[in-house]
Amino acid sequence: MLPQMQAEEAMASSLNQAEDDVVGDKEEEESSIPSVKSFLWHGGSAWDAWFSCASNQVAQVLLTLPYSFSQLGMLSGIMFQVFYGVIGSWTAYLVSVLYVEYRSRKEKEDVCFKNHVIQWFEVLDGLLGPYWKAVGLVFNCTFLLFGSVIQLIACASNIYYINDGLDKRTWTYIFGACCATTVFIPSFHNYRIWSFLGLGMTTYTAWYLTAAALAHGQVEGVEHSAPVKAVLYFTGATNILYTFGGHAVTVEIMHAMWKPQKFKYIYLYATLYVFTLTIPSATTVYWAFGDELLDHSNAFSLLPKSRWRDAAVILMLIHQFITFGFASMPLYFVWEKVIGMHDTKSICVRALARLPVVIPIWFLAIIFPFFGPINSAVGALLVSFTVYIVPSLAHMVTFGKPSARKNAAEKPPFFLPSWTAMYVVNIFIVGWVVVVGFGFGGWASMTNFVKQVDTFGLFAKCYQCKPPKPVALPPH
């Protein structure tokens, strides 16, 4: 008992010292900046983390979930949402446990993180070694890269429903330049007001979709034939797997908290709120349009034009800008560390150093402009490992020895107080995701992705756009 008590006291002392450092920095900052600006700009509370998780979790995917329901069917769509939401919350909990374990060990060695943002690959490196670091770095960075690409494609797709005077590729050029301004946001500490606004925007959009679908009613001859093809079924399932896979920024959000040990169940609470947005909107839109959604991955494309729809489109555009910043911020941090600019205090110098990260994101969005199939492909090939498999395996390996379990900074949760039970849950998640998410999902999503490339081609000028109206020829 004595070593355990000493470990817990050391952990509490190190975290309290870290909190004092952050609070001291915050007080120093607030003494030189107007208080209103500090209130809007500098966030690190549990509420800030909740808003960040909820806002980041349900972005453009909100508009693709009805498309997934048309592939899965109503019952399977709801069941997969609940299932992946729960196991996603569990693996987010594992990530938070590993972060606290890593930080407690490092702070016992007098390592200071005052000017350094801890990231997931560093947690894996510190706990398990360089091979795990490489795995975390490759999967996380690739996932975040394509996550940013998806947001950029979605911006162009959404604005097209308000102004189709320009094609989607041209809108991608424009929004690529707009999203590049996220290089000026220093860290996740500075997302307080953006996270709050972003969640408000998706809340409005979700309930607009629900109300608009109910008001529209079912289209004439509506059919709900799903599921009919295995490839479509597993494509839809992996899109939902992607929906609840926002863990790639979990460590950075935790590090921005004044008391990161409070993060444990925040992701679960965020997921429960997200259910109130995703399930009603996806079910009602699918109820109204049925199989028509199979050819319309963006729900906006089937709803009639109105002021309410235009407002939802504009709000989603703003939110996608915010989510682009969420997804690209860890990439900015990695790049800064590679070139030795992470400790630089000048925002302008850091912004200039970050710009090379935006260029490949911009280029990929122009090459692959079909975000619905990309969601599923990213979910199967990247999210399955980044969000579900690697955290579960890392937790089992980290606490594989009796001494590690005895001296763990975080003990098993109250609802699963046995280490054996935790291992059983982790093994089940790894097995399920390897077979269903990566195996069947990878096959289905890549088959669908290749089909889109064959149909529309790379660098498609206007993916799933309405055909141009025929030009009337003058009478002879």
Side-chain angles (χ1 to χ4, degrees):
M1 287 294 294
L2 185 58
Q4 180 180 342
M5 292 175 62
Q6 291 174 340
E8 290 176 352
E9 289 174 1
M11 174 63 186
S13 174
S14 63
L15 289 176
N16 287 337
Q17 180 61 47
E19 179 191 350
D20 292 342
D21 291 342
V22 174
V23 172
D25 294 343
K26 182 170 177 276
E27 290 175 350
E28 180 181 344
E29 184 177 335
E30 287 178 346
S31 65
S32 59
I33 314 176
S35 58
V36 173
K37 184 177 179 181
S38 298
F39 174 75
L40 297 176
W41 184 249
H42 193 99
S45 68
W47 278 106
D48 289 309
W50 182 84
F51 277 112
S52 293
C53 288
S55 177
N56 183 54
Q57 192 175 129
V58 55
Q60 178 64 24
V61 75
L62 185 70
L63 304 177
T64 66
L65 284 175
Y67 167 66
S68 297
F69 272 50
S70 71
Q71 299 168 317
L72 288 164
M74 189 81 76
L75 180 61
S76 291
I78 295 172
M79 290 177 63
F80 270 115
Q81 279 204 46
V82 174
F83 176 70
Y84 283 125
V86 170
I87 67 170
S89 299
W90 172 254
T91 52
Y93 168 79
L94 298 181
V95 170
S96 72
V97 168
L98 293 171
Y99 169 87
V100 171
E101 181 70 23
Y102 167 77
R103 184 159 178 171
S104 66
R105 292 185 187 183
K106 287 299 179 182
E107 287 177 346
K108 288 173 188 175
E109 301 170 3
D110 296 325
V111 177
C112 179
F113 295 106
K114 187 174 182 179
N115 296 316
H116 183 92
V117 177
I118 298 173
Q119 295 187 267
W120 175 231
F121 69 89
E122 293 169 319
V123 172
L124 293 174
D125 184 29
L127 296 177
L128 299 171
Y131 292 109
W132 283 84
K133 173 186 176 180
V135 169
L137 193 60
V138 169
F139 278 113
N140 251 41
C141 288
T142 310
F143 168 36
L144 291 167
L145 177 70
F146 279 98
S148 303
V149 169
I150 289 167
Q151 298 310 316
L152 195 51
I153 297 169
C155 286
S157 176
N158 289 342
I159 192 63
Y160 182 79
Y161 297 119
I162 292 181
N163 184 343
D164 58 4
L166 298 176
D167 59 77
K168 291 182 182 179
R169 187 167 66 191
T170 303
W171 281 119
T172 303
Y173 293 139
I174 295 169
F175 278 99
C178 294
C179 288
T181 59
T182 57
V183 298
F184 289 99
I185 301 175
S187 73
F188 283 103
H189 272 302
N190 313 113
Y191 268 96
R192 166 174 280 180
I193 188 62
W194 296 114
S195 297
F196 176 78
L197 292 175
L199 188 57
M201 293 166 186
T202 50
T203 299
Y204 169 87
T205 303
W207 287 109
Y208 157 74
L209 292 174
T210 304
L214 291 173
H216 183 277
Q218 291 185 310
V219 295
E220 184 177 353
V222 65
E223 293 184 2
H224 301 89
S225 57
V228 291
K229 294 181 180 179
V231 66
L232 294 178
Y233 187 85
F234 287 106
T235 299
T238 50
N239 186 41
I240 294 179
L241 179 145
Y242 172 84
T243 303
F244 298 96
H247 304 21
V249 296
T250 297
V251 171
E252 288 84 359
I253 291 173
M254 281 189 71
H255 190 80
M257 294 177 68
W258 301 322
K259 295 182 179 180
Q261 68 270 34
K262 286 187 174 183
F263 185 86
K264 294 181 193 176
Y265 308 120
I266 285 176
Y267 197 91
L268 173 62
Y269 300 146
T271 299
L272 293 176
Y273 180 77
V274 166
F275 283 154
T276 69
L277 306 181
T278 57
I279 294 176
S281 60
T283 53
T284 52
V285 174
Y286 178 54
W287 167 82
F289 297 101
D291 291 352
E292 285 190 24
L293 286 159
L294 288 170
D295 298 318
H296 298 81
S297 56
N298 190 323
F300 280 147
S301 63
L302 290 174
L303 293 168
K305 183 176 176 61
S306 68
R307 290 179 300 171
W308 300 102
R309 194 194 73 166
D310 288 352
V313 171
I314 292 169
L315 291 178
M316 282 304 293
L317 285 172
I318 299 171
H319 184 258
Q320 281 149 7
F321 167 83
I322 298 168
T323 307
F324 181 93
F326 264 107
S328 58
M329 184 67 70
L331 296 175
Y332 296 156
F333 292 154
V334 171
W335 179 246
E336 289 171 356
K337 292 170 184 177
V338 168
I339 64 175
M341 299 288 288
H342 189 58
D343 296 334
T344 303
K345 293 184 178 180
S346 170
I347 294 177
C348 292
V349 172
R350 289 179 69 185
L352 188 63
R354 291 172 171 183
L355 278 176
V357 177
V358 180
I359 295 172
I361 296 172
W362 205 351
F363 187 62
L364 287 169
I366 295 167
I367 297 177
F368 306 111
F370 13 90
F371 70 87
I374 287 181
N375 278 358
S376 298
V378 170
L381 304 180
L382 299 174
V383 176
S384 58
F385 284 92
T386 302
V387 172
Y388 301 97
I389 297 172
V390 172
S392 299
L393 290 176
H395 186 271
M396 289 191 287
V397 176
T398 299
F399 299 105
K401 296 181 179 178
S403 59
R405 295 193 293 272
K406 182 179 180 181
N407 298 316
E410 290 284 346
K411 302 303 179 185
F414 70 91
F415 57 86
L416 204 67
S418 164
W419 285 101
T420 302
M422 292 189 73
Y423 270 71
V424 170
V425 172
N426 289 344
I427 291 170
F428 168 77
I429 291 173
V430 171
W432 175 276
V433 176
V434 166
V435 174
V436 178
F438 177 71
F440 289 110
W443 159 74
S445 60
M446 289 309 299
T447 300
N448 191 32
F449 185 79
V450 171
K451 178 184 175 183
Q452 301 300 317
V453 173
D454 291 341
T455 304
F456 294 95
L458 301 178
F459 298 97
K461 190 173 184 180
C462 210
Y463 171 70
Q464 287 188 345
C465 295
K466 296 178 181 178
K469 295 180 181 179
V471 179
L473 297 174
H476 293 289

